[in-house]
Structure formats: C-alpha cells, structure tokens
Amino acid sequence: MPTLILVRHGRSTANTEGLLAGWTPGVALDERGAAQAAALPGRLADLPLSEIVTSPLQRCQETIRPLLDARPGLRAHTDERIGECHYGDWSGRKLAELKDEPLMEVVQAHPSAAAFPGGESMRAMQTRAAEAVREWNARVERDHGADAVYLMCSHGDIIKSLVAEALGLHLDLFQRISVEPCSVTAIRYTRLRPFLVRLGDTGDLASLAPREEPPGDEATVGGGAGAP
C-alpha cells in the first residue's frame, strides 16, 4: 500500500494572532508561512509524488501552490474530509479566551467526548479523515502501484488524529502528539499495519530551544504557531 506524506499548512495569520481559525474564510499564510511553503518543493524534491490531496481551506491551498508550480504535471484534488475540524461557535475566537470554557478541559483530557457547540465532535473529525485516507490509499495503489507516494495537505488536529489512528492510539491520547506548521509526517501503510516513519519533521530544531514563556502542559487546539 502507498506511503502518505502529511503536510500541515504553513503558519497562518490566525496562528500568529492566537485565533482558532476552523473554517473561517480568508485565513491566509503569514510571511513566515509563505516562506515555509516556498521551501516545501526543495524539501520534497527526492519524493516521486503521484497525487496531491488538499483541504479546501485557503491556508492549505496556499501551502501547496509552490509545490504545484514546481511540478506542473501534478494537480491537486480537494477533499473536504481532510479540512479542519468544524469548531462551530468557537471558530474565530481567541484561544486565550477559550481556556476558561469548561469544554476546554474535555478537549484536553477526554477529546473523544468533546463536541463543539454548533460544530462537530472530535470523534467525527477523526472518522471522516481516516475514511478519506483509506479511500485515497486504495485509489493511489490502483492507479500508481503499491509503492506509490502521495501527499495530503491538512491541519494540525486532523494530522494528529490520523497519526493516533495509525498507531492504534485512543483519540484521548492524541493531544500528546505535536505537529508544527509546514511539518512533514509520513505514514507507510501495509497490508498488516501502518508504520509511522516521520512525525512533525520541519528540518529545523528551533522549536526545541527554551522559550521566554514555557509552552505549558496544554495542547494547542488547532495546532499552534510553531517556533517563535
């Protein structure tokens, strides 16, 4: 079965403003995010990508644009199932404000029980994304062979949930996983089991350096802005 390259979108204006973007329209890459996207073709130059699948949201579309420009033979397929979690009434709000919501404790400690008001549950988010991957695995293998490599450009919580699913981790443990903006995660699928072969690889160790303000013990809903 194929190898899936999962790319989180580059850093966005919502990331730097501390907003939970969700499906809010008009959320673009910021200057750093655009630079991250521009570097992506070089980082992936040795990979023979057979297909590109992307979330419909602007920040993902902008992230893969340089890659598509560098490989004119490829085109992007848009799949809403790998779009961001539908955060409902939380969309567009400041993450700092959401910390005081009782639901945030559930999102952090028991995400399989979390459902966003006016949005979807985290279980539904994981289910739709995993179904998309299974269908694309079959399609890519059928059209390009069992050793094919393809790419999906998606969002932090989506990628974390797919990693948890591949590792057989309960969704309640997925907040232990971290994927930074424009990081590369790779999962090689086989008949018996998936293998996680890369996780959140940015090629940059800056995010491991001590920060003036420690990141704390809570996972950032939506994925966070990455290294300062």
Side-chain angles (χ1 to χ4, degrees):
M1 295 179 69
T3 296
L4 170 60
I5 306 299
L6 287 161
V7 175
R8 185 184 168 201
H9 61 79
R11 195 174 76 174
S12 73
T13 54
N15 293 145
T16 50
E17 292 171 7
L19 299 176
L20 185 61
W23 285 70
T24 305
V27 177
L29 298 184
D30 68 6
E31 185 175 353
R32 180 171 179 173
Q36 291 170 331
L40 197 57
R43 292 171 62 198
L44 300 176
D46 294 333
L47 296 182
L49 299 175
S50 58
E51 302 278 0
I52 293 179
V53 187
T54 181
S55 157
L57 296 173
Q58 180 179 338
R59 52 199 182 273
C60 287
Q61 302 279 337
E62 291 180 354
T63 298
I64 63 163
R65 177 50 52 194
L67 182 60
L68 293 172
D69 290 343
R71 302 197 189 195
L74 283 175
R75 69 183 183 91
H77 307 272
T78 298
D79 193 326
E80 292 195 357
R81 294 174 297 177
I82 62 167
E84 183 62 285
C85 185
H86 290 276
Y87 297 118
D89 297 344
W90 280 27
S91 299
R93 292 182 61 188
K94 288 272 189 184
L95 286 164
E97 298 173 358
L98 293 171
K99 284 186 176 181
D100 297 328
E101 295 281 352
L103 177 61
M104 182 59 84
E105 185 177 2
V106 182
V107 171
Q108 292 292 325
H110 191 23
S112 66
F116 296 97
E120 69 179 335
S121 69
M122 302 200 91
R123 285 183 294 106
M125 173 199 74
Q126 183 186 45
T127 297
R128 62 172 164 86
E131 287 177 350
V133 168
R134 282 191 286 271
E135 289 183 19
W136 278 103
N137 281 349
R139 177 172 171 175
V140 169
E141 181 172 6
R142 180 196 69 204
D143 294 344
H144 302 283
D147 295 327
V149 179
Y150 76 107
L151 181 147
M152 282 185 169
C153 185
S154 188
H155 306 266
D157 281 349
I158 294 287
I159 294 172
K160 288 162 56 178
S161 75
L162 289 172
V163 169
E165 199 264 350
L167 292 176
L169 294 177
H170 197 283
L171 185 61
D172 286 347
L173 301 179
F174 100 128
Q175 298 290 26
R176 302 183 182 194
I177 300 166
S178 176
V179 290
E180 293 206 356
C182 225
S183 63
V184 172
T185 294
I187 302 172
R188 180 166 59 86
Y189 289 88
T190 73
R191 184 174 62 86
L192 294 181
R193 64 182 62 85
F195 292 89
L196 178 66
V197 293
R198 290 289 189 280
L199 175 61
D201 189 342
T202 63
D204 178 2
L205 300 180
S207 64
L208 301 180
R211 304 183 188 182
E212 291 184 9
E213 294 186 11
D217 58 5
E218 288 194 349
T220 302
V221 182

